[in-house]
Structure formats: structure tokens, C-alpha cells
């Protein structure tokens, strides 16, 4: 059973082919803001939202929270990828303010994706097992909701990928990150010592969120992205009351230092 605020412990999974790797082509990089039009979802407090998992998925019992972060992040991401009419058709939501039906879609997608494993220990239901960006991309490609997806490694390639739209990120989530500071940062000043303090606070689990914006962009004297001066804003799925209206900020340096423990995916319509 995973922490229902989170998902499974996340380590980056390899691209299914090298053609999915996005490489920066040297074009000018800019700050961008692709804030999802979908209102902030809440993977907890399901019962108070009127969401009954037993009515959504055969064999499921009613629970008040699920480790469905991959699918919440994906649903927010899809609202920026496929357009409002396609979003309505795919999710059954009555527009971007219909968080209940959007959350219900995320829950059904959680089931559909994990149901393919053939292993009850990695399926929901019965196990609230979490999943990953790679698996949900494969599922949505099979459903023909998306045409494909891209991945990125490194600050330059991530910022370059962000020029086109939002990106879902799987990462380890540390105990100290549950409480962003007054500016919404989970990682302090983004230095190695700040990350060491986060690690020392303990790993709570794995978590998937949706990177919405490059709010601040800095460059080194060599013209490369300076990850320590580059700030990303990331949409979470713990209700709009959490963090900065449901989002948090993180320095690109933290993702760079975490290296292979982070996984970045951008879906393509």
C-alpha cells in the first residue's frame, strides 16, 4: 500500500525507443507558462467530493484517497494537450471546471493502466500500487488518445521540451516537501545542501506531478541553462488549498542532482 498522497517510489524508466528522446536543437529558450486550464484535482477527500470508487471500477471498495498521482498529473497534462472538446469526450468531464468527473476519469485510467500487468500485486484494485509516466503513456497510446510521447534528460533538454507544453514528472518525494515555504518552494534555495537536508528528512514515497511553467530562466556564461537559477512551477493534485493554489516551485538544479530518480514525459496529440 502506498501513501495515498503519493504513488510508488519512482526511478526513471528508459524510453521505449531512442526516437522518444528530446534533444535541444540550440534554438532560443524562454520562460513559458502553460498552466493547465483544468481546475486543481484532489486525489484525497474522495468521499466528500461524492466520488465512490466502488461505482467506478469493478471490485473496488470505497476509499477516501488513492495513490493515483500519475493519473491526476496526466489528466491535468491532457487538458493542455488535446483541447477542450477532445478532453470532454475522453474524460466525460463537463469542461475544465468539472473536477469530480475529471478525478473519476483519473481513477478509471489508474485501473485500466494497472489492469494490464496480470499481477494482482501491481494492479488496482486490489492493490493501491501506483504506476509510472511510462505506463500511462503506453496505455493512452494504445487507446489512441495520444499519438506518442517524448522524454528529456538534463536541464537544457527539459527546458527545451517545456517550450512546447506541460511535462509530467515522476520523482522521489521527501518528508520536508509536504510543506512548501512562503514562496511555494519545496527545495529551499535549490543547492546541494538543501537537497541533502530534504533527503535527510526521509523519503515519503514516489510522486507524479505536472510541470506547468518555467518561471525563471538563467544561463551560464557558456550559454547553457543554469539549473540553480532556473525555477519551475509544478501543478500538484492535493487540492487548490495546498501550496501556492495547488502548485509548488522547484529549482531545475534539484531535478538535475536527483538525476535518474526523475522521469520526464510529454504527451503528443
Amino acid at each position: 500500500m502506498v501513501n495515498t498522497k503519493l504513488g510508488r517510489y519512482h526511478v526513471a524508466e528508459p524510453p521505449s525507443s531512442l526516437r522518444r528522446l528530446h534533444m535541444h536543437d540550440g534554438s532560443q529558450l524562454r520562460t513559458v507558462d502553460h498552466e493547465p486550464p483544468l481546475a486543481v484535482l484532489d486525489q484525497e477527500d474522495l468521499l466528500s467530493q461524492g466520488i465512490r470508487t466502488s461505482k467506478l471500477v469493478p471490485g473496488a471498495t470505497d476509499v477516501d484517497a488513492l495513490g493515483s498521482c500519475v493519473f491526476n498529473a496526466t489528466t491535468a497534462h491532457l487538458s493542455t494537450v488535446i483541447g477542450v472538446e477532445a478532453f470532454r469526450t475522453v474524460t466525460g468531464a463537463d469542461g475544465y471546471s468539472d473536477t469530480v468527473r475529471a478525478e473519476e476519469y483519473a481513477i478509471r485510467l489508474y485501473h485500466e493502466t494497472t489492469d494490464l500487468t496480470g499481477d494482482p500485486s501491481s494492479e488496482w484494485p486490489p492493490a493501491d500500487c501506483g504506476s509510472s509516466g511510462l505506463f500511462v503513456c503506453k496505455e493512452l497510446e494504445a487507446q489512441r488518445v495520444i499519438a506518442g510521447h517524448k522524454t528529456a534528460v538534463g536541464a537544457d533538454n527539459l527546458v527545451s521540451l517545456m517550450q512546447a507544453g506541460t511535462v509530467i514528472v515522476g520523482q522521489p518525494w521527501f518528508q520536508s516537501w509536504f510543506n512548501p515555504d512562503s514562496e511555494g518552494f519545496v527545495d529551499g534555495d535549490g543547492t546541494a545542501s538543501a537537497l541533502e537536508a530534504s533527503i535527510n528528512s526521509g523519503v515519503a514515497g514516489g510522486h507524479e506531478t505536472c510541470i506547468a511553467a518555467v518561471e525563471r530562466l538563467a544561463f551560464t556564461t557558456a550559454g547553457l541553462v543554469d539549473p540553480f537559477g532556473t525555477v519551475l512551477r509544478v501543478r500538484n493534485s492535493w487540492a487548490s488549498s495546498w501550496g501556492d493554489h495547488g502548485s509548488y516551485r522547484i529549482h531545475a538544479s534539484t531535478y538535475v542532482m536527483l538525476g535518474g530518480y526523475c522521469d520526464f514525459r510529454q504527451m503528443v496529440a
Side-chain angles (χ1 to χ4, degrees):
M1 179 80 66
V2 299
N3 182 323
T4 52
K5 275 188 177 294
L6 305 173
R8 70 176 193 174
Y9 184 70
H10 206 292
V11 176
E13 304 196 58
S16 54
S17 73
L18 290 177
R19 65 183 174 80
R20 297 192 187 277
L21 283 173
H22 173 82
M23 305 295 291
H24 177 44
D25 62 6
S27 58
Q28 184 176 358
L29 299 175
R30 299 177 174 85
T31 57
V32 292
D33 192 336
H34 306 292
E35 182 66 18
L38 178 66
V40 178
L41 300 181
D42 186 359
Q43 68 191 72
E44 299 187 298
D45 306 309
L46 299 179
L47 297 175
S48 65
Q49 295 177 71
I51 296 173
R52 299 292 187 271
T53 50
S54 63
K55 295 182 179 180
L56 296 174
V57 176
T61 58
D62 285 333
V63 294
D64 201 32
L66 278 173
S68 57
C69 56
V70 168
F71 307 93
N72 290 74
T74 293
T75 305
H77 180 48
L78 283 177
S79 75
T80 71
V81 172
I82 61 176
V84 64
E85 293 306 320
F87 186 80
R88 282 190 174 115
T89 299
V90 169
T91 66
D94 185 18
Y96 293 135
S97 62
D98 188 355
T99 56
V100 169
R101 288 186 177 84
E103 179 65 39
E104 289 176 341
Y105 167 74
I107 291 169
R108 291 194 303 271
L109 184 59
Y110 182 17
H111 165 65
E112 291 164 354
T113 302
T114 62
D115 196 42
L116 298 177
T117 66
D119 176 6
S121 67
S122 58
E123 295 175 0
W124 181 76
D128 191 4
C129 52
S131 189
S132 73
L134 175 61
F135 282 110
V136 73
C137 284
K138 286 184 173 181
E139 174 64 18
L140 289 176
E141 287 166 6
Q143 293 183 13
R144 302 185 182 233
V145 172
I146 59 173
H149 72 277
K150 301 175 182 177
T151 69
V153 176
D156 288 85
N157 295 327
L158 173 58
V159 171
S160 176
L161 190 61
M162 284 290 301
Q163 302 299 295
T166 57
V167 170
I168 58 172
V169 54
Q171 69 240 298
W173 193 266
F174 303 103
Q175 294 288 353
S176 62
W177 286 13
F178 285 111
N179 299 298
D181 67 18
S182 61
E183 295 183 339
F185 283 96
V186 294
D187 66 338
D189 60 4
T191 59
S193 59
L195 178 58
E196 183 178 9
S198 297
I199 292 170
N200 288 339
S201 76
V203 176
H207 194 35
E208 192 97 14
T209 50
C210 179
I211 308 176
V214 181
E215 285 195 332
R216 190 165 75 221
L217 182 57
F219 295 95
T220 67
T221 55
L224 301 174
V225 170
D226 175 5
F228 293 95
T230 296
V231 173
L232 309 171
R233 188 178 74 248
V234 191
R235 169 74 72 88
N236 205 348
S237 56
W238 297 341
S240 59
S241 58
W242 183 87
D244 183 0
H245 300 90
S247 295
Y248 63 91
R249 291 179 176 85
I250 192 167
H251 297 82
S253 53
T254 297
Y255 284 146
V256 170
M257 289 185 287
L258 285 171
Y261 288 101
C262 296
D263 184 81
F264 305 98
R265 309 261 165 184
Q266 184 180 76
M267 299 176 190
V268 180

